[in-house]
Amino acid sequence: MFSLEARRASTQASHASAGVKMARDEPDEDGAVAGATPMMAQYLSLKRQADGCLLFYRMGDFYELFFDDARIAAACLDIALTARGEHDGEKVPMCGVPVHAADAYLARLIRAGNRVAIAEQVESPAEAKKRGGKSLVRRDIVRIVTAGTLTEESLLDARSANWLAAACPAGGEIGLAWADISTGQFCVTSVAEAALEAELARIGAAELVSPEDWDGAPVDAARRARADFDSIRAEAQLKQLFGVATLDGFGRFGRADLAAAGGLIAYLEAVGRGSIPHLAPPQKIEPQDVMAIDPATRESLEIARSSAGARGGSLLDCIDRTVTGGGARLLGTDLSAPLTRRETIEERLDFVAWFERDPLLRERVRDTLKRLPDVERALGRVAAGRGGPRDLAQLRAGLEGAAELKRSLQAMADRPSLLDDTLGRFGAHGTLTDLLSRALVAEPPVDSAAGGFIAQGYDAALDELRSTAGDGRRAIAALEARYRETTGIQALKIRHNNVLGFHIEVPARHADALMKEGSGFTHRQTLAGVVRFNAADLHEQALRVTQAGDHAIAAEAAHFEELCGQVIVEAAAISQTATALARIDVAAALAERAAEGGWTRPLMTDEPLFDVKGGRHPVVEQALKRDRQPFVANDCRLEEASRLWLVTGPNMGGKSTFLRQNALIAILAQAGGFVPADSARIGIVDRLFSRVGASDNLAQGRSTFMVEMVETAAILAQATPRSFVILDEVGRGTSTYDGLAIAWAVLEAIHDMSRSRCLFATHYHELTRLAERLDALSLHHVRAREWKGDLVFLHELADGPADRSYGLAVAKLAGLPPQVVARAREVLKRLEAGRQASGGLAAGLDELPLFAAQVKVEDDDRDALRERIAAIQPDAVTPREALDLIYELKRLAADDCRH
Ligand code: ADP
Ligand code: MG
């Protein structure tokens, strides 16, 4: 990498010249004395309007940051902090980023949790000058960039939704509203305060806002004025936004729902400088329609993110076979919010099954989808006023493809009801796509500024302007030939640049003839080697070209506005179409994954039953497959008579994997997907809990055992007979007796109080005694076998408790030195003896010989053996002596073992 200093020096240099070029007539504030220069005054006024955002202040080819903003940005972006001029007698800290690379820097600032306001120069230096004397170029904040309100393709992940959320207490509940303005999706719900964290974890918002006077607000929320969260105002605003007299058609909204929606819209309005981006009508999510999964469970099961925080390694990543960005985003949402109503789950499963049965149909549909652009995001950009001609073309192609797909699917027999429902949501976009087809060229540019995107034949006046410009260009070409003829200079050329426009250029040695009075040429510029001229007839043609060109660009810009307007009028219908496409993609993708993995359709029931035969952990299985290792499938049957399974067995035996795979199967099934099993009957789970006993992770400052107990307490408070609880080595974070006692009591509570279905893995062998006391508890173990002194894991579940603890065998496997393993065996023997005797568990340990003494003796013996071996001269021993030697060595070795 170039040194930062060197890069900075060069950017500063170009910056200085850029400043001269772009803002030449601005008063120079460098070296100013105390007090605000005009530029600083303008900066400070914009900074006040920026509402706590970092301010990107445009100066020529750079965005500059000053004061604390500069310090924050320089640290975050790892760029040099410099100083510029003085303010109130102090040097002003400054740093800057080049405009052409601003997106990458923006992305980093946003990811680090900053919000950025962008102030552009909204007039040219020439315009500023016209306003009088030494006027400062006018600047305005044109855009505010925040993590939750992005629409830029370059700043977004195409396969993840980007949510902005608002949370606010009202009427004894917490209202939550969340929207993805890159697609227009918009949801609201209300939950009890205790469920807020879980709900936020499900949504996974990039940015959260809440009222400034609310003590219970999540710590990372941006604080906004209380007045923004006014439910009455919000209701009126929503009605107006969606052009309805009542919101009843969208669902039933309570005070908290409306208050949160109001806060969300107010924030969007503030960020959008008064304009609200396109939003679909709010969708009311009823909490009881969604499986409740708290943050700890999400983390432990690695549903949408792995424990490392990445998508890779998660359940979502493992099952995602979608072929569109919209499909990937919807699958993420589905998997984060498994359903609890049997009819809706079955509808999704019917749809997946339909695709699963027909591989050819599936392939055809997926091929079609694969070619469609991301309609939702293109719409988001257009609606936010940040679209370009390319976005319009994407909408055209996407909507045409959607119409085609709809026609072909409608022709299919025995359509599942969810498909019919989905097809019904496709809008009729014929008029719009016709318009876009006529209006746009085949491959329009990303940016509208340079024109060239409106098709020939769409607008006669535009065609006329273009042909005038074309005629002009041809006339100019003809002039070049004529000038060569009249001057006799074959090297004469007509060129064009931004400073001189069209001009005549000849090599310096031919210039004299043209310099002469009456030659018809006027001198413009002399450079090394060439001299440039103008001429009256060239000037005339050039004017024709540029005027017609300017008018054409203006005409195209007007058409662009008009076309965007047409798209926005139809925004709601377009986003419905996009959602419908995503739903088809998700169903086909789940079918694809099922076919690939040999997965099966789960049978859903309302009874509290969980019966999986041949179940697998999809993520572990996939990882093993990469190493060509088989995954051992296992059954799990929880029912009224045995709804609690206690699983014992050696470390590394497969307990955790077994527990998790069953939780994942429940999630997949209720999200509407097939499951990695031979068969599955699943009683719908209302709440899912998964806890892993604390290890030695002290990251959060609380003792991990404390965390473990807090989380376990939450389960006991919330789990119901319809819940599914997974407890993996709970009680590990404390001393043996405490841990065992707690695990024991928790098991009893789940058995007698919550009455949930539960899988409980433990290394406390003693817990198996509970089987005699708790009716619905049954014992299981992961099998392992000792083979030639080594432990072999079978990863297979069997009935009954593990016959013993394999701790020492595992320790040996892990490479603990043999003396230490032997010693541990001895300690264990005495501990077990002590348990029988009355003197207490550890009584026997007092008589244990000192380890140091044992190790010493062994070392002495081993040395005797080693010395003897070293003394052997292999070439000098006879066969007879060799045999004697073997007997001798064996004797020495036997001595060694006796100690
Ligand atoms: P435990 O919780 O009993 O210590 P884990 O569930 O963590 O054991 O499993 C340890 C390792 O064994 C896993 O990382 C995996 O590679 C392997 N494993 C677990 N279950 C299976 C299985 N059913 N089939 C094959 N390998 C498995
Ligand atoms: Mg484990």
Side-chain angles (χ1 to χ4, degrees), residues 624 630-632 634 650-657 795:
L624 288 176
F631 187 91
V632 180
N634 278 305
N651 231 331
M652 292 300 286
K655 300 183 295 297
S656 299
T657 306
H795 301 304

Side-chain angles (χ1 to χ4, degrees), residues 39-119:
M39 182 176 278
M40 221 10 104
Q42 184 190 51
Y43 171 83
L44 291 172
S45 134
L46 288 168
K47 178 67 191 169
R48 270 192 300 278
Q49 293 169 40
D51 193 20
C53 299
L54 299 180
L55 182 66
F56 270 30
Y57 182 84
R58 176 74 180 258
M59 292 180 75
D61 292 341
F62 273 71
Y63 290 119
E64 300 290 8
L65 297 103
F66 299 106
F67 301 105
D68 278 350
D69 286 8
R71 293 198 186 91
I72 294 169
C76 174
L77 300 174
D78 195 15
I79 57 176
L81 186 65
T82 58
R84 184 186 177 99
E86 278 186 0
H87 181 67
D88 288 345
E90 302 272 332
K91 281 218 170 293
V92 178
M94 176 186 88
C95 69
V97 301
V99 170
H100 67 86
D103 268 6
Y105 288 110
L106 261 179
R108 275 165 69 184
L109 286 169
I110 300 300
R111 231 175 283 133
N114 298 292
R115 300 183 303 138
V116 179
I118 297 181

Side-chain angles (χ1 to χ4, degrees), residues 382-440:
V382 171
R386 293 175 212 153
R390 169 88 45 91
D391 292 310
L392 296 179
Q394 290 194 348
L395 284 162
R396 173 183 65 192
L399 296 176
E400 276 172 358
E404 220 172 282
L405 188 64
K406 178 179 178 179
R407 266 194 303 278
S408 83
L409 286 173
Q410 249 163 354
M412 301 291 303
D414 64 7
R415 291 188 302 278
S417 63
L418 182 55
L419 174 58
D420 268 343
D421 185 63
T422 304
L423 291 175
R425 283 170 201 274
F426 275 88
H429 306 292
T431 320
L432 179 63
T433 50
D434 276 356
L435 173 67
L436 293 174
S437 297
R438 279 188 294 115
L440 294 173

Side-chain angles (χ1 to χ4, degrees), residues 268-277 383-384:
L268 286 175
E269 211 171 359
V271 168
R273 315 287 297 157
S275 78
I276 299 171

Side-chain angles (χ1 to χ4, degrees), residues 116-463:
V116 179
I118 297 181
E120 292 288 359
Q121 296 173 188
V122 293
E123 64 181 0
S124 69
E127 285 168 315
K129 199 171 181 180
K130 242 181 264 166
R131 280 194 291 115
K134 281 196 151 213
S135 293
L136 196 61
V137 172
R138 197 177 278 145
R139 291 178 175 85
D140 263 330
I141 294 178
V142 297
R143 197 174 127 209
I144 294 179
V145 186
T146 80
T149 59
L150 299 172
T151 54
E152 290 78 357
E153 233 171 337
S154 56
L155 300 180
L156 287 169
D157 171 7
R159 301 184 72 77
S160 308
N162 193 60
W163 300 110
L164 167 71
C168 143
E173 288 178 302
I174 311 294
L176 263 168
W178 62 104
D180 181 348
I181 69 152
S182 69
T183 62
Q185 285 189 69
F186 181 18
C187 305
V188 296
T189 193
S190 294
V191 295
E193 181 147 15
L196 174 62
E197 218 187 322
E199 210 56 23
L200 288 172
R202 174 165 71 78
I203 298 163
E207 190 179 2
L208 174 68
V209 295
S210 64
E212 58 193 355
D213 61 352
W214 177 28
D215 295 338
V219 281
D220 50 352
R223 299 313 193 92
R224 309 292 301 176
R226 183 79 213 190
D228 287 356
F229 296 82
D230 182 297
S231 60
I232 295 170
R233 205 188 70 175
E235 183 168 7
Q237 200 169 17
L238 285 170
K239 285 182 193 162
Q240 194 206 350
L241 203 57
F242 299 105
V244 290
T246 162
L247 297 176
D248 292 350
F250 304 140
R252 270 187 296 126
F253 300 96
R255 239 188 88 197
D257 299 325
L258 292 169
L264 186 99
I265 290 174
Y267 185 70
L268 286 175
E269 211 171 359
V271 168
R273 315 287 297 157
S275 78
I276 299 171
H278 156 69
L279 291 176
Q283 191 190 345
K284 167 86 193 219
I285 310 284
E286 300 291 348
Q288 68 272 21
D289 289 348
V290 176
M291 184 195 280
I293 309 175
D294 60 22
T297 301
R298 267 174 212 287
E299 214 168 283
S300 123
L301 294 177
E302 305 182 290
I303 300 172
R305 312 230 151 264
S306 75
S307 50
R311 196 178 201 262
S314 67
L315 175 67
L316 174 59
D317 185 59
C318 170
I319 67 160
D320 186 359
R321 296 293 181 270
T322 56
V323 292
T324 67
R329 297 190 292 268
L330 182 61
L331 182 64
T333 307
D334 282 3
L335 206 62
S336 297
L339 306 172
T340 55
R341 283 155 61 105
R342 191 146 65 87
E343 314 82 78
T344 26
I345 298 171
E346 295 287 3
E347 273 189 346
R348 285 193 190 170
L349 286 169
D350 285 341
F351 198 2
V352 176
W354 188 68
F355 273 126
E356 199 263 348
R357 277 194 297 273
D358 191 341
L360 283 177
L361 165 75
R362 189 167 76 233
E363 197 183 314
R364 190 160 57 76
V365 170
R366 283 162 58 78
D367 269 351
T368 309
L369 287 169
K370 214 179 283 176
R371 287 194 298 269
L372 298 187
D374 198 331
V375 173
E376 238 177 347
R377 289 242 161 123
L379 172 66
R381 286 188 296 272
V382 171
R386 293 175 212 153
R390 169 88 45 91
D391 292 310
L392 296 179
Q394 290 194 348
L395 284 162
R396 173 183 65 192
L399 296 176
E400 276 172 358
E404 220 172 282
L405 188 64
K406 178 179 178 179
R407 266 194 303 278
S408 83
L409 286 173
Q410 249 163 354
M412 301 291 303
D414 64 7
R415 291 188 302 278
S417 63
L418 182 55
L419 174 58
D420 268 343
D421 185 63
T422 304
L423 291 175
R425 283 170 201 274
F426 275 88
H429 306 292
T431 320
L432 179 63
T433 50
D434 276 356
L435 173 67
L436 293 174
S437 297
R438 279 188 294 115
L440 294 173
V441 298
E443 283 182 27
V446 176
D447 192 18
S448 64
F453 53 87
I454 294 293
Q456 194 76 18
Y458 178 67
D459 172 0
L462 175 62
D463 291 348

Side-chain angles (χ1 to χ4, degrees), residues 466-483:
R466 283 177 175 163
S467 89
T468 305
D471 289 350
R473 256 182 244 107
R474 270 189 299 280
I476 288 171
L479 276 179
E480 186 178 74
R482 218 181 73 207
Y483 292 149

